[in-house]
Amino acid sequence: MERRPWHESRWPEGVPFELHIPLIPVQRLLEDAAKTHPDHPFILFNDAVRTYRQMNEMADQVAGFLSAQGIGKGDRVALFLPNLPHFPAAFFGILKAGAICVPCNPTYTVPELHAQLADSGARGLIVMDHPTLYAAACEAMRDTAIETVVTCNAGDFLPLAQRLVGGLLGKIPHAEHHDAGHVPFSDILHSRLSAPPVAIDPHQDTALLQYTGGTTGVPKGTRISHHNIVSNLLAIQAWIHPEDEHGHAGDMIVGGECFIGALPWFHAYGLIMTLLAAVRLASSVVCVPDPRAGTPPFTEILRLVQRHRATVLNGVPTLFSALIHHPDVNRYHLDTLKLCGCGAAPLAVELAQQFEAKTGAVLYEGYGMTETTAAVMCNPTSRRARKLGSLGLPLPDTDAVVLDSDTGLHLLPQGEVGEIAVSGPQLMLGYWNSHDANSHDDATITRIIGGRRYLLTGDIGHMDEDGFFWLSDRKKDIVIIGGYKAYPREIEEVLYAHPKVAQAAVVGVEHERMGQVLKAFIRLKDGSTATSREIIDYCKERLAGYKVPRLIEFRDSLPTSAAGKVLKRELR
């Protein structure tokens, strides 16, 4: 790779510009860790511990089960799970069977989950044995290709005493009624099944079908290959060299780190940066099914950091803000944390400084999108080299340019603002079920510059004199809510379906604690009356919680252009 502006100034010492990426399937990461550190704790959940050897054996059993059901190369299997020990066993088991994992957000409503199951054509579904999640899954999979269902009970991974007491006291959630054909995960663990032989082409075979929202609000599946994941993971690992209290950079310790699994693993950020990063380092991961757990909220994360002497905590700005402003934060020892990654939304400089002062950890920012597997840029993990508030520098093997935002055809010089485009081995294979968008030379999402394929990010920004990239605005109307992307068009479609709504527009507005929240501007039909609570409750029945507007403003009219398009900039 030719030298670029970011290589000249603050490029981290010891980090190569290019890497040699082995052509291996993702499941090899678990298999290698099970060989080198077979008895090292991998998954920590309450008082239960599962080693790398045990988890690899469980993944083999899941793969054998799926194969026995006729699920194999290229088939899709959906995961409708929070961060439980079942997740990594199921994830790696799906890949060992040659199938494609389709992670689903457990907060999705029935219509949202149904749309994802139907679009992916998933033949299998692995769901938590929980009154709400199981019932939603059973309803959502109607009229889809789902044939095989596996139910996962939280008690499967608890010590016997806890399982018995929890069952007697009703503390372990479970669905009241199960379909006779649905298989308990515990039955798979008691089997003698093993993984079938499967040939994987890391470059061409999809490992992950990760859904994101589109510019129209319609979720799209991104096809992430085995090589996309492995190359991104190794680039991030090569990049990270956390500083100690004296400013000396060190390496992450193989077999010696402890990650807090606060980010959801159904999201690429949590899956790559926490779960798979831990596997690559043969280190431990603490399961956090609900990061808001505890009284006050988020107390459980503070407790788990202290109890397990955690060293790594990845999150979003709202998480770090909640922890540093927690009323009991000073009661907990957080000084074992040494590295914390932040992404999905801009990080306030003051917040980063406060968190570092409390913990002593290095808090660094990264930038990426679902179409880039996880990260394309990161700030150096050196306090002296980084620039808080920036997107950071492109990772090894990654290039980035700024194009004119009108046509996306002309390269702009350093300092000029335009649309950021990125290139690298982490770029998705293409979109699922979208032949036009799947084409690598499709002008709507990619550009070929100097023989390299670049993805148009839709984000507006510039590159400064040191090669750092800065975000100045979002080309589209995406709103970041607690690290998740909410698409106003999708929410507006729900509002328009309300019998009393004549016109609706949704925008993001600044919020002191949440960063951003959604606000809906509504014009009611003539003669109709409604309350804010009525509109919010209507949305709650049809949308995931983070997509529900928190603020409602009724207006007699909404500002529009000559073409009749609502002028959101005026509403903001």
Side-chain angles (χ1 to χ4, degrees), residues 535-555:
I535 299 297
I536 291 173
D537 288 344
Y538 180 84
C539 291
K540 283 183 176 179
E541 295 175 0
R542 293 160 177 82
L543 294 166
Y546 68 90
K547 299 178 185 178
V548 176
R550 285 176 171 260
L551 303 173
I552 307 292
E553 182 174 330
F554 295 101
R555 289 195 173 189

Side-chain angles (χ1 to χ4, degrees), residues 477-552:
D477 290 326
I478 300 169
V479 182
I480 305 297
I481 307 294
Y484 297 109
K485 291 182 178 179
Y487 294 82
R489 174 67 180 273
E490 179 186 8
I491 302 160
E492 289 162 4
E493 291 293 337
V494 170
L495 290 170
Y496 273 113
H498 192 287
K500 298 180 180 179
V501 173
Q503 195 175 24
V506 175
V507 301
V509 296
E510 298 300 317
H511 187 275
E512 180 178 351
R513 184 169 52 85
M514 298 291 291
Q516 278 189 309
V517 296
L518 292 167
K519 181 174 182 177
F521 294 85
I522 293 174
R523 179 174 66 81
L524 296 173
K525 294 179 179 178
D526 292 342
S528 296
T529 59
T531 65
S532 296
R533 174 49 55 190
E534 178 182 348
I535 299 297
I536 291 173
D537 288 344
Y538 180 84
C539 291
K540 283 183 176 179
E541 295 175 0
R542 293 160 177 82
L543 294 166
Y546 68 90
K547 299 178 185 178
V548 176
R550 285 176 171 260
L551 303 173
I552 307 292

Side-chain angles (χ1 to χ4, degrees), residues 76-80 94 100-104 117 122 124-127 146:
R76 279 76 63 203
V77 179
L79 289 186
F80 194 48
I94 292 168
I100 299 168
C101 181
V102 186
C104 303
L117 295 178
L125 173 63
I126 301 177
V127 58
I146 297 294

Side-chain angles (χ1 to χ4, degrees), residues 131-187:
T132 303
L133 271 64
Y134 180 75
C138 289
E139 187 174 350
M141 67 180 160
R142 293 176 182 172
D143 301 319
T144 69
I146 297 294
E147 302 166 348
T148 301
V149 177
V150 177
T151 60
C152 304
N153 190 278
D156 295 339
F157 286 88
L158 292 177
L160 179 60
Q162 281 193 21
R163 191 162 63 245
L164 291 175
V165 173
L168 290 172
L169 297 178
K171 292 185 177 181
I172 300 177
H174 67 278
E176 293 298 329
H177 303 286
H178 289 83
D179 187 292
H182 297 175
V183 180
F185 193 89
S186 56
D187 286 0

Side-chain angles (χ1 to χ4, degrees), residues 168-484:
L168 290 172
L169 297 178
K171 292 185 177 181
I172 300 177
H174 67 278
E176 293 298 329
H177 303 286
H178 289 83
D179 187 292
H182 297 175
V183 180
F185 193 89
S186 56
D187 286 0
I188 299 175
L189 298 185
H190 292 135
S191 71
R192 295 180 178 273
L193 297 168
S194 58
V198 179
I200 298 293
D201 181 341
H203 276 299
Q204 298 299 324
D205 289 341
T206 301
L208 191 66
L209 190 56
Q210 187 77 51
Y211 276 79
T212 183
T215 59
T216 63
V218 178
K220 293 178 291 187
T222 58
R223 298 191 296 115
I224 306 299
S225 72
H226 287 261
H227 188 65
N228 287 152
I229 294 174
V230 172
S231 62
N232 203 204
L233 195 60
L234 267 61
I236 294 166
Q237 183 184 5
W239 186 262
I240 291 174
H241 297 278
E243 287 182 343
D244 60 20
E245 63 272 18
H246 304 295
H248 300 138
D251 294 327
M252 302 295 283
I253 303 172
V254 176
E257 306 296 344
C258 180
F259 290 69
I260 293 292
L263 286 172
W265 297 334
F266 64 78
H267 192 283
Y269 180 19
L271 178 66
I272 305 297
M273 297 294 289
T274 296
L275 185 62
L276 297 187
V279 173
R280 174 64 183 170
L281 291 169
S283 292
S284 302
V285 183
V286 180
C287 289
V288 184
D290 177 12
R292 294 184 58 86
T295 305
F298 297 100
T299 298
E300 183 68 0
I301 290 183
L302 295 174
R303 186 186 70 84
L304 291 173
V305 169
Q306 176 175 282
R307 178 184 178 187
H308 296 287
R309 299 185 60 79
T311 59
V312 182
L313 172 62
N314 296 314
V316 296
T318 51
L319 172 64
F320 295 114
S321 177
L323 295 180
I324 203 65
H325 294 114
H326 191 286
D328 298 327
V329 65
N330 292 325
R331 293 175 50 193
Y332 294 90
H333 297 289
L334 309 178
D335 53 357
T336 58
L337 289 173
K338 65 181 182 182
L339 186 73
C340 298
C342 185
L347 174 67
V349 174
E350 183 179 353
L351 172 60
Q353 293 171 338
Q354 288 177 344
F355 189 86
E356 290 186 340
K358 170 59 183 174
T359 64
V362 175
L363 182 56
Y364 73 101
E365 296 170 88
Y367 168 77
M369 51 202 304
T370 308
E371 289 87 347
T372 63
T373 305
V376 287
M377 300 181 193
C378 277
N379 254 280
T381 53
S382 161
R383 292 180 175 88
R384 291 165 294 177
R386 70 185 179 184
K387 290 188 178 182
L388 286 175
S390 75
L391 301 178
L393 306 174
L395 290 167
D397 293 316
T398 303
D399 193 30
V401 296
V402 178
L403 304 175
D404 73 287
S405 54
D406 292 327
T407 68
L409 297 175
H410 306 293
L411 284 169
L412 299 181
Q414 284 176 259
E416 289 199 20
V417 175
E419 182 171 1
I420 298 170
V422 295
S423 176
Q426 66 273 65
L427 294 195
M428 66 174 180
L429 295 175
Y431 289 114
W432 177 258
N433 281 342
S434 178
H435 298 296
D436 291 335
N438 253 355
S439 176
H440 286 183
D441 61 354
D442 176 21
T444 63
I445 60 169
T446 60
R447 295 288 184 272
I448 302 300
I449 304 172
R452 290 186 65 132
R453 173 182 169 234
Y454 288 79
L455 176 77
L456 300 177
T457 65
D459 287 331
I460 304 301
H462 71 280
M463 177 173 56
D464 71 12
E465 68 280 2
D466 293 318
F468 282 77
F469 283 77
W470 296 81
L471 186 67
S472 56
D473 199 0
R474 296 190 180 276
K475 189 175 182 179
K476 305 175 183 70
D477 290 326
I478 300 169
V479 182
I480 305 297
I481 307 294
Y484 297 109

Side-chain angles (χ1 to χ4, degrees), residues 52-72:
Y52 273 92
R53 177 195 288 118
Q54 291 172 318
M55 195 58 67
N56 189 50
E57 291 172 351
M58 291 176 195
D60 284 340
Q61 291 171 309
V62 171
F65 168 79
L66 294 175
S67 179
Q69 305 303 306
I71 294 174

